[in-house]
Short mmCIF file of all heavy atoms in Angstrom, two decimals:
data_model
loop_
_atom_site.label_atom_id
_atom_site.label_comp_id
_atom_site.label_asym_id
_atom_site.label_seq_id
_atom_site.Cartn_x
_atom_site.Cartn_y
_atom_site.Cartn_z
N GLU A 78 -11.06 -87.65 -54.66
CA GLU A 78 -12.41 -87.56 -54.96
C GLU A 78 -12.91 -86.15 -54.95
O GLU A 78 -12.37 -85.28 -54.17
CB GLU A 78 -13.26 -88.40 -53.97
CG GLU A 78 -12.98 -89.90 -54.01
CD GLU A 78 -13.76 -90.62 -53.01
OE1 GLU A 78 -14.52 -90.03 -52.24
OE2 GLU A 78 -13.67 -91.90 -52.95
N SER A 79 -13.97 -85.84 -55.67
CA SER A 79 -14.54 -84.52 -55.62
C SER A 79 -15.07 -84.24 -54.22
O SER A 79 -15.61 -85.09 -53.50
CB SER A 79 -15.80 -84.44 -56.57
OG SER A 79 -16.40 -83.20 -56.49
N GLU A 80 -14.66 -83.01 -53.76
CA GLU A 80 -15.04 -82.52 -52.36
C GLU A 80 -14.15 -83.28 -51.27
O GLU A 80 -14.53 -83.24 -50.15
CB GLU A 80 -16.50 -82.66 -52.10
CG GLU A 80 -17.38 -81.87 -52.97
CD GLU A 80 -18.86 -81.88 -52.76
OE1 GLU A 80 -19.52 -82.81 -53.19
OE2 GLU A 80 -19.35 -80.96 -51.99
N GLY A 81 -13.15 -83.94 -51.73
CA GLY A 81 -12.30 -84.60 -50.71
C GLY A 81 -11.32 -83.58 -50.11
O GLY A 81 -11.02 -82.51 -50.61
N LYS A 82 -10.83 -83.98 -48.95
CA LYS A 82 -9.85 -83.14 -48.19
C LYS A 82 -8.59 -83.93 -47.91
O LYS A 82 -8.71 -85.04 -47.29
CB LYS A 82 -10.49 -82.61 -46.93
CG LYS A 82 -11.81 -81.81 -47.08
CD LYS A 82 -12.33 -81.21 -45.84
CE LYS A 82 -12.78 -82.24 -44.87
NZ LYS A 82 -13.43 -81.64 -43.65
N TYR A 83 -7.40 -83.44 -48.31
CA TYR A 83 -6.22 -84.23 -48.23
C TYR A 83 -5.04 -83.44 -47.80
O TYR A 83 -4.96 -82.17 -47.93
CB TYR A 83 -5.92 -84.77 -49.67
CG TYR A 83 -7.09 -85.54 -50.33
CD1 TYR A 83 -7.97 -84.90 -51.15
CD2 TYR A 83 -7.27 -86.89 -50.02
CE1 TYR A 83 -9.02 -85.56 -51.71
CE2 TYR A 83 -8.35 -87.60 -50.59
CZ TYR A 83 -9.21 -86.94 -51.45
OH TYR A 83 -10.25 -87.60 -52.00
N PHE A 84 -3.99 -84.13 -47.26
CA PHE A 84 -2.72 -83.55 -47.02
C PHE A 84 -1.61 -84.53 -47.17
O PHE A 84 -1.80 -85.78 -47.10
CB PHE A 84 -2.68 -82.88 -45.64
CG PHE A 84 -2.53 -83.88 -44.49
CD1 PHE A 84 -1.28 -84.20 -43.95
CD2 PHE A 84 -3.68 -84.47 -43.94
CE1 PHE A 84 -1.15 -85.15 -42.91
CE2 PHE A 84 -3.55 -85.43 -42.90
CZ PHE A 84 -2.26 -85.73 -42.38
N THR A 85 -0.38 -84.05 -47.48
CA THR A 85 0.74 -84.91 -47.64
C THR A 85 1.95 -84.18 -46.93
O THR A 85 1.95 -82.95 -46.80
CB THR A 85 1.08 -85.13 -49.07
OG1 THR A 85 2.14 -86.19 -49.09
CG2 THR A 85 1.54 -83.94 -49.83
N THR A 86 2.89 -84.90 -46.46
CA THR A 86 4.10 -84.38 -45.81
C THR A 86 5.33 -84.87 -46.44
O THR A 86 5.41 -85.91 -47.19
CB THR A 86 4.15 -84.81 -44.29
OG1 THR A 86 4.36 -86.18 -44.18
CG2 THR A 86 2.86 -84.36 -43.61
N ARG A 87 6.36 -84.07 -46.31
CA ARG A 87 7.77 -84.50 -46.77
C ARG A 87 8.74 -84.21 -45.66
O ARG A 87 8.70 -83.12 -45.03
CB ARG A 87 8.09 -83.68 -48.01
CG ARG A 87 9.48 -84.11 -48.57
CD ARG A 87 9.77 -83.48 -49.90
NE ARG A 87 8.95 -84.12 -51.02
CZ ARG A 87 9.13 -83.74 -52.30
NH1 ARG A 87 10.10 -82.85 -52.61
NH2 ARG A 87 8.38 -84.29 -53.26
N ASN A 88 9.52 -85.24 -45.32
CA ASN A 88 10.50 -85.12 -44.25
C ASN A 88 9.86 -84.94 -42.88
O ASN A 88 10.59 -84.72 -41.91
CB ASN A 88 11.47 -84.04 -44.59
CG ASN A 88 12.73 -84.03 -43.73
OD1 ASN A 88 13.48 -85.06 -43.47
ND2 ASN A 88 13.08 -82.92 -43.06
N ASN A 89 8.59 -84.99 -42.79
CA ASN A 89 7.87 -84.75 -41.55
C ASN A 89 8.16 -83.37 -41.00
O ASN A 89 8.06 -83.05 -39.74
CB ASN A 89 8.14 -85.86 -40.45
CG ASN A 89 7.48 -87.16 -40.83
OD1 ASN A 89 6.43 -87.16 -41.48
ND2 ASN A 89 8.02 -88.22 -40.39
N SER A 90 8.66 -82.46 -41.88
CA SER A 90 8.87 -81.13 -41.49
C SER A 90 8.20 -80.08 -42.48
O SER A 90 8.23 -78.88 -42.16
CB SER A 90 10.40 -80.84 -41.34
OG SER A 90 11.01 -81.01 -42.59
N SER A 91 7.70 -80.57 -43.61
CA SER A 91 6.87 -79.80 -44.52
C SER A 91 5.64 -80.48 -44.82
O SER A 91 5.48 -81.70 -44.67
CB SER A 91 7.71 -79.64 -45.82
OG SER A 91 8.93 -78.87 -45.69
N LEU A 92 4.62 -79.69 -45.26
CA LEU A 92 3.23 -80.25 -45.37
C LEU A 92 2.48 -79.34 -46.41
O LEU A 92 2.64 -78.15 -46.52
CB LEU A 92 2.51 -80.15 -44.07
CG LEU A 92 1.06 -80.66 -44.03
CD1 LEU A 92 0.78 -81.34 -42.67
CD2 LEU A 92 0.08 -79.50 -44.26
N ILE A 93 1.74 -80.07 -47.31
CA ILE A 93 0.82 -79.44 -48.26
C ILE A 93 -0.61 -79.99 -48.00
O ILE A 93 -0.76 -81.27 -47.97
CB ILE A 93 1.33 -79.58 -49.67
CG1 ILE A 93 2.61 -78.89 -49.88
CG2 ILE A 93 0.19 -79.00 -50.63
CD1 ILE A 93 3.20 -78.98 -51.26
N VAL A 94 -1.58 -79.12 -47.90
CA VAL A 94 -2.95 -79.55 -47.59
C VAL A 94 -3.84 -78.85 -48.58
O VAL A 94 -3.63 -77.76 -48.97
CB VAL A 94 -3.37 -79.28 -46.19
CG1 VAL A 94 -3.08 -77.79 -45.81
CG2 VAL A 94 -4.79 -79.62 -45.94
N PHE A 95 -4.92 -79.53 -49.03
CA PHE A 95 -5.84 -78.94 -50.02
C PHE A 95 -7.13 -79.61 -49.98
O PHE A 95 -7.35 -80.71 -49.38
CB PHE A 95 -5.24 -79.13 -51.46
CG PHE A 95 -4.90 -80.63 -51.86
CD1 PHE A 95 -5.92 -81.32 -52.57
CD2 PHE A 95 -3.76 -81.17 -51.55
CE1 PHE A 95 -5.66 -82.66 -52.95
CE2 PHE A 95 -3.48 -82.51 -51.88
CZ PHE A 95 -4.42 -83.27 -52.56
N LYS A 96 -8.20 -78.81 -50.50
CA LYS A 96 -9.55 -79.35 -50.64
C LYS A 96 -9.92 -79.39 -52.13
O LYS A 96 -9.51 -78.45 -52.84
CB LYS A 96 -10.52 -78.34 -49.90
CG LYS A 96 -10.37 -78.27 -48.44
CD LYS A 96 -11.38 -77.20 -47.86
CE LYS A 96 -11.23 -77.06 -46.36
NZ LYS A 96 -12.16 -75.95 -45.88
N VAL A 97 -10.58 -80.40 -52.50
CA VAL A 97 -10.96 -80.58 -53.89
C VAL A 97 -12.36 -79.94 -54.09
O VAL A 97 -13.32 -80.57 -53.58
CB VAL A 97 -10.92 -82.05 -54.38
CG1 VAL A 97 -11.34 -82.10 -55.83
CG2 VAL A 97 -9.59 -82.61 -54.12
N PRO A 98 -12.58 -78.93 -54.84
CA PRO A 98 -13.93 -78.38 -55.10
C PRO A 98 -14.73 -79.35 -55.90
O PRO A 98 -14.32 -80.19 -56.64
CB PRO A 98 -13.67 -77.07 -55.83
CG PRO A 98 -12.24 -76.71 -55.57
CD PRO A 98 -11.53 -78.09 -55.43
N LYS A 99 -16.04 -79.15 -55.80
CA LYS A 99 -17.00 -79.99 -56.57
C LYS A 99 -16.91 -79.73 -58.09
O LYS A 99 -17.19 -80.57 -58.87
CB LYS A 99 -18.40 -79.82 -56.01
CG LYS A 99 -19.47 -80.70 -56.73
CD LYS A 99 -20.81 -80.46 -56.02
CE LYS A 99 -21.93 -81.32 -56.68
NZ LYS A 99 -23.25 -81.09 -56.02
N ASN A 100 -16.66 -78.46 -58.43
CA ASN A 100 -16.78 -78.00 -59.78
C ASN A 100 -15.55 -78.10 -60.59
O ASN A 100 -14.54 -78.58 -60.10
CB ASN A 100 -17.26 -76.57 -59.80
CG ASN A 100 -18.56 -76.35 -59.04
OD1 ASN A 100 -19.65 -76.69 -59.57
ND2 ASN A 100 -18.52 -75.85 -57.87
N ASN A 101 -15.61 -77.83 -61.88
CA ASN A 101 -14.43 -77.82 -62.73
C ASN A 101 -13.42 -76.88 -62.23
O ASN A 101 -13.63 -75.69 -62.01
CB ASN A 101 -14.92 -77.34 -64.18
CG ASN A 101 -13.71 -77.47 -65.13
OD1 ASN A 101 -13.01 -78.44 -65.17
ND2 ASN A 101 -13.50 -76.40 -65.91
N ILE A 102 -12.19 -77.41 -61.94
CA ILE A 102 -11.18 -76.63 -61.27
C ILE A 102 -10.33 -75.89 -62.34
O ILE A 102 -9.90 -76.52 -63.34
CB ILE A 102 -10.22 -77.51 -60.45
CG1 ILE A 102 -11.13 -78.18 -59.38
CG2 ILE A 102 -9.03 -76.75 -59.84
CD1 ILE A 102 -10.45 -79.45 -58.76
N ASP A 103 -10.13 -74.58 -62.18
CA ASP A 103 -9.34 -73.85 -63.17
C ASP A 103 -8.25 -73.07 -62.49
O ASP A 103 -7.63 -72.11 -63.13
CB ASP A 103 -10.25 -72.89 -63.95
CG ASP A 103 -11.08 -71.96 -63.19
OD1 ASP A 103 -10.71 -71.74 -61.97
OD2 ASP A 103 -12.05 -71.45 -63.67
N GLY A 104 -7.86 -73.35 -61.32
CA GLY A 104 -6.68 -72.72 -60.62
C GLY A 104 -6.55 -73.12 -59.18
O GLY A 104 -7.40 -73.93 -58.62
N PHE A 105 -5.45 -72.67 -58.54
CA PHE A 105 -5.19 -73.01 -57.19
C PHE A 105 -4.99 -71.75 -56.36
O PHE A 105 -4.24 -70.82 -56.78
CB PHE A 105 -3.89 -73.78 -57.09
CG PHE A 105 -3.89 -75.17 -57.79
CD1 PHE A 105 -3.46 -75.20 -59.14
CD2 PHE A 105 -4.31 -76.29 -57.20
CE1 PHE A 105 -3.52 -76.40 -59.81
CE2 PHE A 105 -4.36 -77.53 -57.90
CZ PHE A 105 -3.96 -77.57 -59.15
N ASN A 106 -5.61 -71.58 -55.26
CA ASN A 106 -5.37 -70.48 -54.34
C ASN A 106 -4.45 -70.99 -53.20
O ASN A 106 -4.90 -71.72 -52.35
CB ASN A 106 -6.73 -70.01 -53.74
CG ASN A 106 -7.50 -69.20 -54.80
OD1 ASN A 106 -7.03 -68.91 -55.84
ND2 ASN A 106 -8.76 -68.72 -54.32
N ILE A 107 -3.19 -70.62 -53.23
CA ILE A 107 -2.17 -71.23 -52.39
C ILE A 107 -1.67 -70.18 -51.41
O ILE A 107 -1.28 -69.08 -51.78
CB ILE A 107 -1.03 -71.74 -53.28
CG1 ILE A 107 -1.44 -72.61 -54.42
CG2 ILE A 107 0.01 -72.51 -52.32
CD1 ILE A 107 -0.40 -72.91 -55.43
N ALA A 108 -1.72 -70.61 -50.13
CA ALA A 108 -1.01 -69.85 -49.06
C ALA A 108 0.27 -70.65 -48.69
O ALA A 108 0.19 -71.85 -48.41
CB ALA A 108 -1.87 -69.65 -47.91
#
């Protein structure tokens, strides 16, 4: 959903987390 906050894991040793902006998304700022 717009403005949602989510994360997923793999192998319970790696993780990716992200926030969905409200506006039209045109890129990812990844650390």
Side-chain angles (χ1 to χ4, degrees):
E78 297 180 359
S79 176
E80 300 183 274
K82 301 186 294 185
Y83 305 95
F84 74 96
T85 188
T86 65
R87 181 174 286 185
N88 191 52
N89 288 333
S90 61
S91 295
L92 177 147
I93 296 178
V94 53
F95 57 95
K96 297 178 180 179
V97 181
K99 182 178 181 180
N100 302 285
N101 183 47
I102 300 161
D103 55 20
F105 300 90
N106 285 355
I107 309 168

